[in-house]
Amino acid sequence: MSIAQNTETDGKLRCISCGATPDSAGQDFRCIACGDLLEFVFPGWIFDSPAFDPAALKSRWLNRRTSRNPLDQSGVWRFRELLPHIPNPEEHVITLREGNTPLYHMPRCGRATGVENLRAKHQGLNPTGSFKDTGMTVAASSAHQGGFRWVACASTGNTSASMAAYAARGNMRSLVLIPDGKISWGKLSQSLDYGALTCQLRTDFDGCVRILNELVRQKPVYLLNSVNPYRIEGQKTAAIELLEQLGWEPPDHIIVPGGNLGNSSAIGKALLEMRELKLISRLPKLSIIQAHGANPFYRSVREFGGKKLEAMTADTLATAIRIGNPASWKKALRVLQATGGEVEEVTEVEIAAAKAEIGADGIGCEPASAVTLSGLKKLRRCGFVKSGESVVLILTGHLLKDPDFTIKFHRGDLFAGTGDAAEAVQAKSLQHAPVVLDADLGAVMAAVDAAERNS
Protein backbone atom coordinates (compact mmCIF):
# COMPACT_ATOMS: atom_id res chain seq x y z
CA MET A 1 0.00 0.00 0.00
CA SER A 2 1.32 3.47 -0.86
CA ILE A 3 0.57 6.61 1.08
CA ALA A 4 -1.04 9.15 -1.23
CA GLN A 5 -0.24 12.80 -0.96
CA ASN A 6 -3.26 15.01 -0.46
CA THR A 7 -3.87 17.09 -3.59
CA GLU A 8 -5.52 19.88 -1.59
CA THR A 9 -2.30 20.81 0.17
CA ASP A 10 0.39 23.18 -0.99
CA GLY A 11 2.91 20.70 0.41
CA LYS A 12 4.83 18.39 -1.90
CA LEU A 13 7.11 15.47 -1.09
CA ARG A 14 10.71 15.75 -2.26
CA CYS A 15 13.72 13.47 -1.82
CA ILE A 16 16.53 15.10 0.18
CA SER A 17 19.20 13.51 -2.08
CA CYS A 18 18.06 13.11 -5.68
CA GLY A 19 15.31 15.74 -5.62
CA ALA A 20 12.61 13.41 -6.94
CA THR A 21 9.05 14.61 -6.21
CA PRO A 22 6.85 11.50 -5.99
CA ASP A 23 3.07 11.72 -5.86
CA SER A 24 3.09 9.20 -3.03
CA ALA A 25 5.45 7.67 -0.51
CA GLY A 26 6.09 4.01 0.12
CA GLN A 27 5.25 2.47 3.47
CA ASP A 28 8.80 3.12 4.69
CA PHE A 29 8.73 6.80 3.60
CA ARG A 30 11.84 6.33 1.48
CA CYS A 31 12.45 7.69 -2.01
CA ILE A 32 11.55 5.05 -4.58
CA ALA A 33 14.32 6.29 -6.88
CA CYS A 34 17.33 6.39 -4.51
CA GLY A 35 16.15 5.13 -1.12
CA ASP A 36 16.84 8.31 0.85
CA LEU A 37 14.43 10.27 3.07
CA LEU A 38 11.57 12.45 1.89
CA GLU A 39 10.62 15.89 3.16
CA PHE A 40 7.84 18.37 2.59
CA VAL A 41 8.35 21.49 0.50
CA PHE A 42 5.68 24.12 -0.12
CA PRO A 43 5.79 25.50 -3.66
CA GLY A 44 2.29 26.90 -3.13
CA TRP A 45 3.50 29.50 -0.60
CA ILE A 46 2.99 32.86 -2.29
CA PHE A 47 5.18 35.23 -0.34
CA ASP A 48 3.75 38.49 -1.66
CA SER A 49 0.11 37.49 -1.05
CA PRO A 50 -1.97 38.80 1.88
CA ALA A 51 -2.28 35.23 3.19
CA PHE A 52 1.48 35.07 3.78
CA ASP A 53 2.06 38.62 4.93
CA PRO A 54 4.39 38.20 7.96
CA ALA A 55 2.49 40.66 10.15
CA ALA A 56 -0.86 39.09 9.24
CA LEU A 57 0.39 35.57 10.05
CA LYS A 58 1.80 36.66 13.41
CA SER A 59 -1.44 38.41 14.32
CA ARG A 60 -3.59 35.46 13.25
CA TRP A 61 -1.51 32.98 15.28
CA LEU A 62 -1.60 35.21 18.33
CA ASN A 63 -5.38 35.72 18.13
CA ARG A 64 -5.92 31.96 17.99
CA ARG A 65 -4.51 31.63 21.50
CA THR A 66 -7.85 32.85 22.90
CA SER A 67 -9.97 30.66 20.62
CA ARG A 68 -11.98 27.66 21.85
CA ASN A 69 -11.47 25.78 18.59
CA PRO A 70 -9.51 22.57 19.42
CA LEU A 71 -7.20 23.22 16.48
CA ASP A 72 -6.36 26.67 17.81
CA GLN A 73 -5.76 25.35 21.33
CA SER A 74 -3.02 23.10 19.96
CA GLY A 75 0.43 24.69 19.89
CA VAL A 76 0.98 22.79 16.64
CA TRP A 77 -2.21 23.26 14.64
CA ARG A 78 -2.34 26.93 15.63
CA PHE A 79 0.40 27.34 12.99
CA ARG A 80 -1.43 25.22 10.39
CA GLU A 81 -0.69 27.60 7.49
CA LEU A 82 2.84 26.16 7.55
CA LEU A 83 1.79 22.50 7.88
CA PRO A 84 0.64 19.87 5.36
CA HIS A 85 -3.11 20.02 4.93
CA ILE A 86 -5.25 17.34 6.58
CA PRO A 87 -8.70 17.21 4.94
CA ASN A 88 -11.76 17.29 7.19
CA PRO A 89 -9.66 18.25 10.24
CA GLU A 90 -12.64 18.07 12.60
CA GLU A 91 -12.86 14.35 11.78
CA HIS A 92 -9.21 13.39 11.29
CA VAL A 93 -6.97 15.63 13.37
CA ILE A 94 -5.93 13.96 16.65
CA THR A 95 -4.85 16.51 19.21
CA LEU A 96 -4.09 16.46 22.94
CA ARG A 97 -3.43 20.22 23.05
CA GLU A 98 0.25 19.57 22.43
CA GLY A 99 2.78 22.38 22.18
CA ASN A 100 2.17 25.53 24.21
CA THR A 101 5.32 24.72 26.19
CA PRO A 102 7.05 27.30 28.41
CA LEU A 103 10.25 29.22 27.82
CA TYR A 104 12.17 29.60 31.07
CA HIS A 105 14.93 31.98 32.07
CA MET A 106 17.80 29.93 33.61
CA PRO A 107 19.68 32.27 36.01
CA ARG A 108 21.77 29.70 37.89
CA CYS A 109 22.75 27.83 34.75
CA GLY A 110 23.50 31.16 33.13
CA ARG A 111 25.93 32.08 35.90
CA ALA A 112 27.55 28.65 35.73
CA THR A 113 28.17 28.99 31.99
CA GLY A 114 28.87 32.71 31.86
CA VAL A 115 25.87 33.26 29.57
CA GLU A 116 23.54 35.73 31.25
CA ASN A 117 20.85 35.55 28.56
CA LEU A 118 20.18 31.80 28.85
CA ARG A 119 16.73 30.28 28.41
CA ALA A 120 15.29 26.79 28.09
CA LYS A 121 12.34 25.77 25.93
CA HIS A 122 10.86 22.81 27.82
CA GLN A 123 9.31 20.43 25.32
CA GLY A 124 9.09 17.87 28.11
CA LEU A 125 5.90 19.61 29.21
CA ASN A 126 3.95 18.23 26.29
CA PRO A 127 1.02 15.86 27.09
CA THR A 128 3.07 12.65 27.21
CA GLY A 129 6.17 14.34 28.59
CA SER A 130 8.34 14.77 25.50
CA PHE A 131 8.78 16.78 22.31
CA LYS A 132 7.54 13.80 20.28
CA ASP A 133 3.92 14.90 20.71
CA THR A 134 4.33 17.90 18.41
CA GLY A 135 5.23 15.63 15.52
CA MET A 136 2.95 12.79 16.48
CA THR A 137 -0.22 14.87 16.26
CA VAL A 138 0.44 15.58 12.57
CA ALA A 139 1.68 12.09 11.64
CA ALA A 140 -1.06 10.26 13.56
CA SER A 141 -3.66 12.52 11.95
CA SER A 142 -2.26 11.60 8.54
CA ALA A 143 -2.59 7.92 9.44
CA HIS A 144 -6.17 8.45 10.59
CA GLN A 145 -7.05 10.33 7.44
CA GLY A 146 -5.51 7.49 5.39
CA GLY A 147 -7.76 4.94 7.06
CA PHE A 148 -5.01 2.94 8.76
CA ARG A 149 -6.00 0.57 11.56
CA TRP A 150 -2.45 -0.01 12.85
CA VAL A 151 0.42 2.39 13.50
CA ALA A 152 3.90 1.33 14.62
CA CYS A 153 7.28 2.62 15.75
CA ALA A 154 10.68 1.51 16.97
CA SER A 155 11.56 3.43 20.08
CA THR A 156 13.92 4.10 22.95
CA GLY A 157 10.83 5.17 24.91
CA ASN A 158 9.50 8.64 24.16
CA THR A 159 8.25 7.88 20.65
CA SER A 160 6.39 4.80 21.86
CA ALA A 161 4.66 6.71 24.64
CA SER A 162 3.57 9.47 22.30
CA MET A 163 2.47 7.20 19.48
CA ALA A 164 0.46 4.96 21.81
CA ALA A 165 -1.36 7.95 23.30
CA TYR A 166 -2.30 9.47 19.94
CA ALA A 167 -3.29 6.10 18.51
CA ALA A 168 -5.57 5.47 21.48
CA ARG A 169 -7.07 8.93 21.09
CA GLY A 170 -7.72 8.24 17.39
CA ASN A 171 -9.13 4.73 17.98
CA MET A 172 -6.21 3.06 16.21
CA ARG A 173 -4.07 0.10 17.32
CA SER A 174 -0.39 0.67 18.04
CA LEU A 175 2.65 -1.61 17.85
CA VAL A 176 5.82 -0.70 19.75
CA LEU A 177 9.20 -2.34 19.10
CA ILE A 178 11.73 -1.56 21.83
CA PRO A 179 15.19 -2.92 22.69
CA ASP A 180 14.92 -5.39 25.57
CA GLY A 181 16.39 -4.07 28.82
CA LYS A 182 17.50 -0.75 27.30
CA ILE A 183 14.57 1.50 28.02
CA SER A 184 13.43 3.53 31.00
CA TRP A 185 10.50 1.86 32.80
CA GLY A 186 8.91 5.28 33.20
CA LYS A 187 8.57 5.50 29.42
CA LEU A 188 7.59 1.88 28.89
CA SER A 189 4.79 2.20 31.44
CA GLN A 190 3.18 4.90 29.30
CA SER A 191 2.87 2.78 26.16
CA LEU A 192 1.46 -0.08 28.25
CA ASP A 193 -1.14 2.17 29.84
CA TYR A 194 -2.19 3.57 26.45
CA GLY A 195 -2.87 0.03 25.19
CA ALA A 196 0.01 -0.57 22.79
CA LEU A 197 1.12 -4.03 21.73
CA THR A 198 4.65 -3.75 23.09
CA CYS A 199 7.36 -6.11 21.83
CA GLN A 200 10.75 -6.08 23.57
CA LEU A 201 13.26 -7.36 20.99
CA ARG A 202 16.66 -8.81 21.92
CA THR A 203 18.55 -6.18 19.95
CA ASP A 204 19.33 -2.46 20.06
CA PHE A 205 17.25 0.44 18.72
CA ASP A 206 18.72 0.15 15.24
CA GLY A 207 17.84 -3.56 15.20
CA CYS A 208 14.25 -2.64 16.06
CA VAL A 209 14.22 -0.21 13.15
CA ARG A 210 15.34 -2.93 10.73
CA ILE A 211 12.52 -5.26 11.82
CA LEU A 212 9.97 -2.44 11.65
CA ASN A 213 10.97 -1.49 8.10
CA GLU A 214 10.52 -5.09 6.99
CA LEU A 215 7.13 -5.25 8.69
CA VAL A 216 5.64 -2.13 7.09
CA ARG A 217 6.62 -3.36 3.63
CA GLN A 218 4.51 -6.48 4.15
CA LYS A 219 1.52 -5.29 6.18
CA PRO A 220 -0.78 -2.22 6.06
CA VAL A 221 0.87 -0.63 9.10
CA TYR A 222 1.61 3.10 9.18
CA LEU A 223 5.18 3.96 10.19
CA LEU A 224 5.44 6.68 12.84
CA ASN A 225 9.18 7.04 13.37
CA SER A 226 10.86 10.35 12.52
CA VAL A 227 11.60 9.21 8.94
CA ASN A 228 7.91 10.05 8.47
CA PRO A 229 7.96 13.61 7.03
CA TYR A 230 4.67 14.48 8.75
CA ARG A 231 6.48 14.01 12.08
CA ILE A 232 9.13 16.55 11.08
CA GLU A 233 6.48 19.08 10.04
CA GLY A 234 4.78 18.90 13.42
CA GLN A 235 8.04 19.08 15.35
CA LYS A 236 9.14 22.22 13.51
CA THR A 237 6.34 24.19 15.23
CA ALA A 238 8.41 24.20 18.45
CA ALA A 239 10.75 26.65 16.73
CA ILE A 240 7.86 28.79 15.47
CA GLU A 241 6.38 28.94 18.96
CA LEU A 242 9.81 29.74 20.42
CA LEU A 243 10.30 32.70 18.10
CA GLU A 244 6.80 33.95 18.91
CA GLN A 245 7.68 33.78 22.63
CA LEU A 246 10.81 35.82 21.91
CA GLY A 247 8.84 38.51 20.10
CA TRP A 248 10.23 37.23 16.77
CA GLU A 249 13.75 38.31 17.76
CA PRO A 250 15.97 35.26 17.11
CA PRO A 251 18.48 34.18 19.77
CA ASP A 252 22.12 33.88 18.78
CA HIS A 253 22.19 30.14 19.50
CA ILE A 254 19.76 27.24 19.80
CA ILE A 255 21.23 24.03 21.27
CA VAL A 256 19.53 20.67 20.72
CA PRO A 257 20.21 17.07 21.87
CA GLY A 258 21.23 14.72 19.07
CA GLY A 259 19.81 11.18 18.90
CA ASN A 260 18.04 10.11 15.73
CA LEU A 261 18.43 13.78 14.62
CA GLY A 262 14.82 14.27 13.53
CA ASN A 263 14.21 17.05 16.05
CA SER A 264 17.29 19.09 15.17
CA SER A 265 16.33 18.67 11.50
CA ALA A 266 12.80 19.86 12.21
CA ILE A 267 13.87 22.92 14.19
CA GLY A 268 16.42 23.84 11.54
CA LYS A 269 13.84 23.42 8.77
CA ALA A 270 11.51 25.80 10.60
CA LEU A 271 14.24 28.40 10.99
CA LEU A 272 15.01 28.34 7.28
CA GLU A 273 11.34 28.54 6.36
CA MET A 274 10.68 31.40 8.78
CA ARG A 275 13.52 33.40 7.26
CA GLU A 276 12.20 32.66 3.76
CA LEU A 277 8.75 33.88 4.84
CA LYS A 278 10.34 37.00 6.40
CA LEU A 279 8.98 36.08 9.83
CA ILE A 280 12.56 36.50 11.09
CA SER A 281 15.41 38.49 9.61
CA ARG A 282 18.34 36.28 10.60
CA LEU A 283 19.13 32.68 11.55
CA PRO A 284 20.28 31.53 14.97
CA LYS A 285 23.18 29.09 15.01
CA LEU A 286 21.73 25.63 15.61
CA SER A 287 24.16 23.33 17.46
CA ILE A 288 23.72 19.61 18.17
CA ILE A 289 25.11 17.77 21.20
CA GLN A 290 25.60 14.01 21.45
CA ALA A 291 26.67 11.67 24.25
CA HIS A 292 30.22 10.37 23.85
CA GLY A 293 28.95 6.79 23.81
CA ALA A 294 26.39 7.54 21.09
CA ASN A 295 28.18 10.03 18.86
CA PRO A 296 28.02 8.85 15.22
CA PHE A 297 26.99 12.29 13.95
CA TYR A 298 29.75 14.03 15.92
CA ARG A 299 32.30 11.64 14.42
CA SER A 300 30.81 12.07 10.95
CA VAL A 301 31.31 15.83 11.06
CA ARG A 302 34.67 15.86 12.86
CA GLU A 303 36.34 12.90 11.15
CA PHE A 304 34.74 12.79 7.71
CA GLY A 305 33.52 16.35 7.15
CA GLY A 306 29.95 15.06 7.04
CA LYS A 307 30.62 13.06 3.87
CA LYS A 308 29.65 9.77 5.47
CA LEU A 309 28.32 8.36 8.74
CA GLU A 310 29.60 5.16 10.29
CA ALA A 311 27.07 3.35 12.46
CA MET A 312 28.14 2.33 15.95
CA THR A 313 26.86 0.35 18.90
CA ALA A 314 25.49 3.13 21.11
CA ASP A 315 26.03 3.09 24.87
CA THR A 316 24.81 5.90 27.12
CA LEU A 317 22.62 6.26 30.21
CA ALA A 318 20.76 9.00 28.33
CA THR A 319 18.45 6.40 26.79
CA ALA A 320 16.51 8.85 24.60
CA ILE A 321 19.63 9.44 22.49
CA ARG A 322 21.11 5.92 22.63
CA ILE A 323 21.07 5.61 18.84
CA GLY A 324 24.03 4.43 16.77
CA ASN A 325 22.69 4.90 13.24
CA PRO A 326 20.58 8.09 13.13
CA ALA A 327 18.16 8.13 10.21
CA SER A 328 18.04 11.91 9.77
CA TRP A 329 21.78 12.66 9.80
CA LYS A 330 21.82 14.16 6.29
CA LYS A 331 18.97 16.51 7.18
CA ALA A 332 20.76 17.49 10.40
CA LEU A 333 24.01 18.13 8.54
CA ARG A 334 22.21 20.41 6.12
CA VAL A 335 20.72 22.62 8.85
CA LEU A 336 23.98 22.59 10.82
CA GLN A 337 25.79 23.97 7.79
CA ALA A 338 23.00 26.38 6.82
CA THR A 339 22.89 27.99 10.26
CA GLY A 340 26.64 27.91 10.97
CA GLY A 341 26.12 25.71 14.02
CA GLU A 342 28.49 23.29 15.74
CA VAL A 343 28.38 19.68 16.92
CA GLU A 344 29.84 18.51 20.24
CA GLU A 345 30.01 15.41 22.43
CA VAL A 346 29.81 15.15 26.24
CA THR A 347 30.61 12.45 28.78
CA GLU A 348 28.20 10.57 31.02
CA VAL A 349 29.39 12.47 34.10
CA GLU A 350 29.04 15.80 32.29
CA ILE A 351 25.45 14.88 31.41
CA ALA A 352 24.59 13.90 34.99
CA ALA A 353 26.15 17.06 36.44
CA ALA A 354 24.34 19.29 33.92
CA LYS A 355 21.04 17.59 34.71
CA ALA A 356 21.47 18.41 38.41
CA GLU A 357 22.41 22.01 37.54
CA ILE A 358 19.24 22.40 35.47
CA GLY A 359 17.33 20.98 38.43
CA ALA A 360 18.90 23.63 40.68
CA ASP A 361 17.03 26.19 38.57
CA GLY A 362 13.78 24.43 39.51
CA ILE A 363 13.45 22.85 36.07
CA GLY A 364 13.46 19.05 35.79
CA CYS A 365 14.45 17.18 32.64
CA GLU A 366 15.45 13.72 31.52
CA PRO A 367 19.18 12.95 31.01
CA ALA A 368 19.16 13.39 27.22
CA SER A 369 17.92 16.98 27.61
CA ALA A 370 20.86 17.84 29.85
CA VAL A 371 23.40 17.32 27.06
CA THR A 372 22.41 20.81 25.91
CA LEU A 373 23.80 22.48 29.04
CA SER A 374 26.95 20.36 29.18
CA GLY A 375 27.45 21.03 25.46
CA LEU A 376 27.01 24.76 26.03
CA LYS A 377 29.85 24.66 28.55
CA LYS A 378 32.14 23.17 25.92
CA LEU A 379 31.02 25.65 23.27
CA ARG A 380 31.78 28.48 25.73
CA ARG A 381 35.24 27.13 26.51
CA CYS A 382 36.21 26.97 22.84
CA GLY A 383 34.81 30.46 22.20
CA PHE A 384 32.04 29.42 19.83
CA VAL A 385 29.44 30.92 22.20
CA LYS A 386 30.29 34.36 23.60
CA SER A 387 29.28 35.60 27.04
CA GLY A 388 27.06 38.41 25.72
CA GLU A 389 25.11 36.22 23.31
CA SER A 390 21.60 34.84 23.81
CA VAL A 391 21.18 31.07 24.02
CA VAL A 392 18.13 28.78 24.10
CA LEU A 393 18.45 25.17 25.24
CA ILE A 394 15.84 22.73 23.93
CA LEU A 395 14.84 20.38 26.75
CA THR A 396 13.20 17.39 25.12
CA GLY A 397 11.90 15.22 27.96
CA HIS A 398 10.36 15.44 31.43
CA LEU A 399 12.27 14.61 34.63
CA LEU A 400 9.90 11.73 35.45
CA LYS A 401 10.73 9.93 32.19
CA ASP A 402 13.74 8.40 33.97
CA PRO A 403 13.49 8.88 37.77
CA ASP A 404 15.89 5.99 38.47
CA PHE A 405 18.73 7.97 36.89
CA THR A 406 18.01 10.93 39.16
CA ILE A 407 17.74 8.87 42.34
CA LYS A 408 20.94 6.93 41.63
CA PHE A 409 22.84 10.15 40.88
CA HIS A 410 21.85 11.86 44.13
CA ARG A 411 22.55 8.74 46.19
CA GLY A 412 25.99 8.49 44.59
CA ASP A 413 25.22 5.12 42.99
CA LEU A 414 24.96 6.09 39.32
CA PHE A 415 28.61 5.52 38.43
CA ALA A 416 29.61 3.18 41.27
CA GLY A 417 31.81 0.35 39.99
CA THR A 418 32.12 1.85 36.48
CA GLY A 419 34.97 3.44 34.60
CA ASP A 420 33.37 6.83 35.26
CA ALA A 421 33.55 6.56 39.05
CA ALA A 422 36.71 8.65 39.40
CA GLU A 423 35.41 11.44 37.17
CA ALA A 424 32.07 11.39 39.01
CA VAL A 425 33.74 12.61 42.22
CA GLN A 426 33.75 16.14 40.76
CA ALA A 427 29.93 16.10 40.66
CA LYS A 428 29.56 15.19 44.35
CA SER A 429 28.74 18.77 45.36
CA LEU A 430 25.63 18.59 43.14
CA GLN A 431 24.23 15.51 44.88
CA HIS A 432 21.40 15.80 47.40
CA ALA A 433 20.92 12.39 48.94
CA PRO A 434 18.00 11.88 51.34
CA VAL A 435 18.97 12.06 55.02
CA VAL A 436 17.64 9.26 57.23
CA LEU A 437 16.92 10.50 60.79
CA ASP A 438 15.07 9.48 63.90
CA ALA A 439 11.63 11.07 64.35
CA ASP A 440 13.14 13.79 66.52
CA LEU A 441 12.77 17.57 66.19
CA GLY A 442 16.34 18.18 67.31
CA ALA A 443 17.71 15.87 64.64
CA VAL A 444 15.72 17.66 61.93
CA MET A 445 16.83 21.08 63.19
CA ALA A 446 20.46 19.90 63.21
CA ALA A 447 20.07 18.74 59.60
CA VAL A 448 18.68 22.15 58.59
CA ASP A 449 21.58 23.93 60.32
CA ALA A 450 24.12 21.65 58.62
CA ALA A 451 22.54 22.32 55.24
CA GLU A 452 22.66 26.06 55.91
CA ARG A 453 26.36 25.93 56.79
CA ASN A 454 27.14 23.98 53.64
CA SER A 455 25.13 26.17 51.30
Side-chain angles (χ1 to χ4, degrees), residues 4 196 198 209 224 228 319 394 397 427 450:
T198 304
V209 171
L224 278 176
N228 184 320
T319 56
I394 304 298

Side-chain angles (χ1 to χ4, degrees), residues 86-94 137 140-142 144-147:
I86 299 292
N88 302 317
E90 294 80 7
E91 178 182 352
H92 294 304
V93 166
I94 307 168
T137 180
S141 297
S142 171
H144 194 268
Q145 183 269 326

Side-chain angles (χ1 to χ4, degrees), residues 13 18 43 119 179 184 231 245 312 350 366 376 405 434 438:
L13 291 171
C18 72
R119 291 179 170 84
S184 161
R231 279 270 311 274
Q245 290 169 317
M312 64 181 292
E350 288 171 332
E366 72 169 328
L376 171 59
F405 181 102
D438 290 331

Side-chain angles (χ1 to χ4, degrees), residues 45 47 52-54 57-58 61 82 236 239-240 243 248 250 266-285 334-340:
W45 286 354
F47 302 126
F52 285 94
D53 175 71
L57 281 176
K58 292 174 184 178
W61 293 336
L82 306 190
K236 78 182 184 185
I240 304 172
L243 268 296
W248 301 101
I267 290 172
K269 186 176 190 291
L271 295 174
L272 294 169
E273 290 176 350
M274 284 189 284
R275 186 181 64 171
E276 187 178 13
L277 289 165
K278 295 183 171 57
L279 293 166
I280 57 175
S281 58
R282 62 179 178 85
L283 292 175
K285 293 180 174 68
R334 184 176 60 188
V335 299
L336 193 77
Q337 294 172 337
T339 65

